[in-house]
Amino acid sequence: MSGDAPLFDAAFLAALERLSLACGRLRVREGEGRLARGRRGGRVEFAGHRVYADGDDPRLVDWPVYQRTGRLYVKEFEREDERSVLVLVDDSASMETAGAYRTAARLAFALCYLAVARGGRARVALCGGGRLTLSPEVSGKGRVSRCAGLLESPGFAAGSDLDAALLRVPRAVRGGRDLVLVSDLLSEHDGRATVPALVRRGDAVAVLRLHSSAITQAGAHSAAVIEDAETGERLLVDRGASTLAAEHLTRLDAAWSLSAEGHRFRYLALDAGRPVEALVLEDLVRAGVVA
Amino acid sequence: MTLAHPAALLLLAFLPLIWWLHRIASRPRVTRVPSVLPYRDAPPADPRALRRRADLLLVTASAALVTAALAAAAPGFETRPGPIAFLALYDDAWNAAAATGDGTLGRRALERAERALREVVPGVSIETIAVERSSAGASSSEPALAMALARAHAAGAATVVFVSARPERAEGRVPAIGPGVPPLPDWGIEAVREAEDGIAWVTVRRTAAPSAADAERPVALCVDDGPPRPLNFDGAGVSRVAIGAVLRDTPTRLRLTSPSGSPWSDALAADDATLVRRVGGIDRILTSGIPAGPALLRAVAACDVELRPARADDAGSTGTARLLTGSESGASSDSMPTLFLAPAAGVRIGNERSGGGVAVAVGAAETTGADVLGGPGADVLPAPRTMLAAPVRLRIRDSALGSGAEVLWSDALGVLAARGDGWAAIAADPDAPGSTWGGDASLPVLLKSMLDHLGGGPERLLLDAGVGAAPLAPESLELPTRDELLRAVAAKRPPSMSSVPGRVLTAAAALLLLALFGLVSGAGRSRVFRAVRERTAAP
């Protein structure tokens, strides 16, 4: 990674600050009941006023303001989230080849930043090659850079055994966390067997699959030899193989979606070519991964 | 099959380079993907599919290179050229010059020229057209040559060669062949002039400088039978030699000579000899015995002419005129030029040959110079205050005017001075009482003018035209060399069909290169170039 552009440059960090503000407003709009469901602890802080609407709790009406202005305003509050977030980033060789790791690392850091911005704690982990490398758990924006240090030194190991890596999670961290797995899931052991176990122990799990159009470009117009970035295995594919590869990924998405629905975790396929801001504000918020 | 540029076949050395490029490009290109997992469902491909485009490129590129190399080598078939419409125009002046020998030299020369042309261009058809020359001058040959060329082209002759002893006379668009030797130097006696001291000088001009070796054998000038006088030519090719006095009655013979063995000695002997004669002017004036007055004597002396009574042996002498005054009149059959001075009334002047001459009429006695008018031939007029005593006036008949008589002086009463064929008349008497003409300069001038007229012009040396002039005719005609013939013929030779294979190959190479460009500029270009870049960048 040393030869490439900086993973977390000043522009990206500035974008994170804007991202945290935008997500904060979204969270208020959607109400905190959904965020507070099943959770305990945390602080509630005054966030601002808005015009009273029908159905609002009368207890939230700011009567002194009504006395001065003659109009009804309700007070809005924010809850400081004190939950811990663990973002698992697949740093296998396949992530490097498609250029997806850069997006994955930035997305992981953005999620950590959002978590600590809400008062929570966050840590990241690299899970390529069946290993699990954890960063220190941090709280507060000033310490989140410790997570960046781990993300900037990926191993790009050959072979991505996500099942083996995820099996190490219960022994490494306590349950009841928010677990976000960011990977291309291009492996025989893509974690589909171990994620349900994490859900069962109380973790809120979200699986984010990063896909790139470059993955299915080989064999688009002519016959070609393709080489697996992790194993070195070569295949001679004919023209039209890219279509079959795209169909394979579609079936992969369907299988993950079915598993997510059955085991109550979230699954989302993201375009690795999009900016992280767009991924967070549009895809993750729309999917409820970020509230 | 022959190759005009066999070195172009070295282009075939690039064939291994093309094969090397094909070998690199035909390797299956490996695309590194994150995982082959999505491709496992794809059926296995035929390995031959990877080499199809590269093979087509190889064949196209190789064929393009081979055809381009062969086209650059300019192959041609060794076919004998067919009959060529070839026309040789022979300079008629050459033929005429050659015919001056035994009459067969020119014909033999033409036969040899035709034989040489046929040797150079096998199968050539030769037609001989003599270029007519209206005169001996070189400049008159060009119009005749142009007409002959027009006829030749109209007859379908593709190649016209002008064969001449002096090929520089041909036009620029006509290849000319001829003896490949420089023109021979030529000498000529150009002029003879007499200095004030009576010494005659001969001018000899050289038309072309001889070679250094020939210059050692100089040309000399012989006067009559005297010894040769060497000629020293200046940078302009002019030499002047003094030959002494030339007498009036004895012509002097001039001849250019060269020592025996000079290449131009024969030509010099043929046309470079001439005669110099003294002509014109009057040396003496014969009178009938009447003594002349002092004014006339002074004027005669000023003209450097002898005035004396006539003798019996003066008949038929040259440079002699007769003076008649008063009522004297000469015989009409006498051919001696006559000067009439102050004729009396009724005297007939001139002769039957001159149309009856001039009648003298009685007129006013005196006139002044201011009243005198000059005619067309008058060189001088009397001074205005000069008194002329002329008791008579001349009456010129129309028949005399029609035969060349002209009026020199006249006044309101008539003609004072006139001249015609073999006569001259002055009505005024310089020695008459009351006349002041004897002290005027116009008298000797008019008298000299009258005497020059009677003598056929001023005294001078006359150079006769070439004696026995003959055209310059070398003894042996030199034919153009084989190289000269080849150059002349090749310049106008129609294109040979042997270049057709080269043109076909060039067109084929162009088409193949176009096809190759189309293949490479498509999907194959980036592939080939990228493959080469990847292979060459590998450690």
Side-chain angles (χ1 to χ4, degrees):
Chain A
M1 299 293 291
S2 58
D4 299 336
L7 193 56
F8 307 115
D9 51 12
F12 175 72
L13 296 177
L16 286 183
E17 190 61 33
R18 294 192 301 270
L19 198 61
S20 64
L21 296 176
C23 288
R25 287 193 293 272
L26 289 173
R27 175 182 170 195
V28 172
R29 278 200 298 269
E30 294 201 0
E32 64 176 1
R34 180 177 172 187
L35 181 65
R37 188 187 318 137
R39 298 179 183 177
R40 297 176 182 178
R43 296 177 301 170
V44 177
E45 292 185 350
F46 174 71
H49 290 89
R50 65 175 173 84
V51 178
Y52 176 80
D54 190 17
D56 284 342
D57 189 349
R59 291 176 297 179
L60 297 179
V61 175
D62 193 338
W63 297 110
V65 173
Y66 174 74
Q67 186 178 4
R68 291 195 302 270
T69 64
R71 301 181 64 178
L72 289 176
Y73 287 91
V74 294
K75 292 184 286 190
E76 289 188 324
F77 297 91
E78 272 188 352
R79 173 183 291 275
E80 292 287 341
D81 189 357
E82 294 183 352
R83 295 204 54 167
S84 178
V85 175
L86 172 60
V87 184
L88 299 163
V89 179
D90 182 5
D91 65 338
S92 61
S94 63
M95 293 288 286
E96 178 197 16
T97 304
Y101 179 78
R102 183 179 180 85
T103 303
R106 286 191 166 203
L107 181 59
F109 189 76
L111 294 177
C112 291
Y113 191 89
L114 291 177
V116 299
R118 294 167 189 160
R121 297 184 302 276
R123 66 194 309 180
V124 294
L126 299 178
C127 56
R131 298 188 304 270
L132 185 66
T133 307
L134 287 164
S135 73
E137 188 173 52
V138 298
S139 60
K141 296 179 181 177
R143 300 186 184 92
V144 75
S145 61
R146 297 180 181 177
C147 299
L150 179 63
L151 294 174
E152 287 176 338
S153 57
F156 295 136
S160 56
D161 191 349
L162 288 179
D163 286 330
L166 293 179
L167 283 176
R168 299 175 190 271
V169 171
R171 294 195 295 269
V173 297
R174 291 179 300 172
R177 296 171 178 269
D178 289 341
L179 291 181
V180 181
L181 173 62
V182 184
S183 171
D184 55 7
L185 303 181
L186 294 176
S187 172
E188 296 286 352
H189 307 284
D190 57 357
R192 225 182 313 171
T194 52
V195 166
L198 296 176
V199 174
R200 283 194 296 272
R201 78 164 191 157
D203 292 326
V205 178
V207 178
L208 308 180
R209 186 179 77 84
L210 292 179
H211 66 83
S212 172
S213 58
I215 298 176
T216 57
Q217 285 299 311
H221 303 291
S222 62
V225 175
I226 57 175
E227 182 182 62
D228 194 301
E230 295 184 357
T231 64
E233 178 186 1
R234 291 187 177 184
L235 285 180
L236 174 61
V237 296
D238 206 346
R239 181 179 181 181
S242 60
T243 304
L244 298 177
E247 292 175 355
H248 174 87
L249 294 179
T250 302
R251 291 195 299 272
L252 178 66
D253 286 338
W256 270 100
S257 297
L258 187 61
S259 176
E261 185 178 353
H263 295 91
R264 302 180 62 84
F265 66 91
R266 289 190 173 90
Y267 173 78
L268 194 60
L270 303 176
D271 186 358
R274 300 186 66 194
V276 171
E277 282 184 273
L279 293 178
V280 173
L281 292 177
E282 297 176 9
D283 297 342
L284 297 186
V285 169
R286 185 184 306 119
V289 175
V290 174
Chain B
M1 176 78 75
T2 59
L3 299 177
H5 307 290
L9 294 181
L10 292 176
L11 290 174
L12 297 177
F14 287 97
L15 273 179
L17 174 64
I18 292 180
W19 290 338
W20 178 75
L21 291 174
H22 162 258
R23 180 171 169 268
I24 290 178
S26 62
R27 290 177 182 172
R29 177 172 169 259
V30 178
T31 303
R32 191 176 173 87
V33 296
S35 174
V36 298
L37 192 59
Y39 295 90
R40 289 198 183 281
D41 297 337
D46 186 0
R48 290 177 298 178
L50 293 173
R51 306 174 64 87
R52 189 172 304 148
R53 177 174 293 275
D55 287 344
L56 182 59
L57 281 174
L58 173 66
V59 172
T60 306
S62 301
L65 177 64
V66 171
T67 53
L70 291 178
F77 295 111
E78 285 184 344
T79 57
R80 290 180 61 85
I84 301 173
F86 189 94
L87 193 63
L89 301 178
Y90 287 99
D91 193 347
D92 192 37
W94 189 17
N95 300 339
T100 57
D102 57 357
T104 60
L105 182 60
R107 187 171 63 255
R108 288 207 310 269
L110 296 183
E111 291 174 357
R112 288 162 54 194
E114 290 185 5
R115 194 161 53 246
L117 288 173
R118 293 184 192 282
E119 182 182 355
V120 172
V121 186
V124 66
S125 61
I126 298 177
E127 182 180 355
T128 301
I129 294 179
V131 179
E132 298 177 356
R133 303 165 69 88
S134 57
S135 65
S139 60
S140 62
S141 66
E142 279 70 17
L145 176 60
M147 294 177 60
L149 285 176
R151 289 198 307 271
H153 288 301
T159 303
V160 178
V161 173
F162 181 56
V163 183
S164 172
R166 301 183 65 177
E168 69 275 7
R169 294 175 179 172
E171 298 178 0
R173 59 191 176 90
V174 179
I177 56 178
V181 296
L184 290 175
D186 194 12
W187 292 263
I189 300 173
E190 186 178 66
V192 177
R193 286 184 174 83
E194 188 176 29
E196 292 182 354
D197 56 0
I199 302 300
W201 292 77
V202 177
T203 301
V204 179
R205 181 176 294 276
R206 184 179 62 198
T207 57
S211 62
D214 294 336
E216 297 177 356
R217 291 169 290 189
V219 175
L221 176 68
C222 291
V223 181
D224 293 330
D225 295 331
R229 305 185 184 189
L231 299 175
N232 297 319
F233 293 93
D234 57 11
V238 176
S239 175
R240 291 181 176 84
V241 180
I243 60 173
V246 177
L247 302 180
R248 178 180 293 275
D249 298 328
T250 307
T252 301
R253 187 169 185 271
L254 303 177
R255 184 168 55 90
L256 294 175
T257 62
S258 178
S260 177
S262 295
W264 49 79
S265 60
D266 295 333
L268 288 174
D271 64 345
D272 290 328
T274 183
L275 292 177
V276 177
R277 290 184 290 112
R278 180 179 296 278
V279 297
I282 296 296
D283 293 335
R284 66 186 66 88
I285 299 176
L286 305 178
T287 66
S288 58
I290 299 175
L296 179 61
L297 291 176
R298 287 196 302 272
V300 171
C303 294
D304 195 17
V305 176
E306 179 187 7
L307 180 66
R308 63 173 174 81
R311 296 192 295 259
D313 58 347
D314 289 332
S317 61
T318 58
T320 303
R322 180 173 53 186
L323 176 64
L324 299 178
T325 60
S327 57
E328 295 177 333
S329 60
S332 60
S333 59
D334 193 353
S335 61
M336 181 176 293
T338 306
L339 172 64
F340 295 89
L341 180 64
V347 172
R348 294 184 60 85
I349 299 174
N351 47 33
E352 297 300 331
R353 180 165 50 90
S354 61
V358 180
V360 178
V362 177
E366 298 178 350
T367 185
T368 61
D371 297 329
V372 176
L373 301 176
D379 296 329
V380 66
L381 288 175
R385 294 182 179 181
T386 301
M387 184 63 68
L388 299 178
V392 298
R393 293 294 186 272
L394 307 178
R395 186 165 55 87
I396 305 176
R397 297 177 180 177
D398 295 339
S399 58
L401 292 174
S403 61
E406 56 182 356
V407 176
L408 298 181
W409 289 1
S410 63
D411 63 357
L413 299 179
V415 176
L416 291 172
R419 63 189 181 190
D421 184 15
W423 60 269
I426 301 173
D429 184 0
D431 293 304
S435 175
T436 61
W437 190 27
D440 189 75
S442 61
L443 174 59
V445 173
L446 179 64
L447 182 61
K448 178 65 175 174
S449 173
M450 291 297 191
L451 295 177
D452 287 346
H453 170 74
L454 295 176
E459 182 179 348
R460 62 195 183 279
L461 296 179
L462 183 63
L463 188 65
D464 287 350
V467 177
L472 180 63
E475 285 293 328
S476 61
L477 293 175
E478 296 189 33
L479 286 177
T481 64
R482 178 183 175 85
D483 290 341
E484 287 175 334
L485 286 174
L486 280 175
R487 280 197 299 271
V489 174
K492 293 292 183 180
R493 195 168 183 173
S496 173
M497 293 298 291
S498 61
S499 60
V500 171
R503 294 177 182 175
V504 172
L505 285 173
T506 302
L511 290 176
L512 287 172
L513 288 174
L514 193 62
L516 182 64
F517 176 77
L519 288 175
V520 174
S521 63
R525 180 180 58 180
S526 59
R527 174 177 180 173
V528 171
F529 290 163
R530 190 165 54 240
V532 171
R533 188 167 56 247
E534 290 174 356
R535 297 304 185 273
T536 53

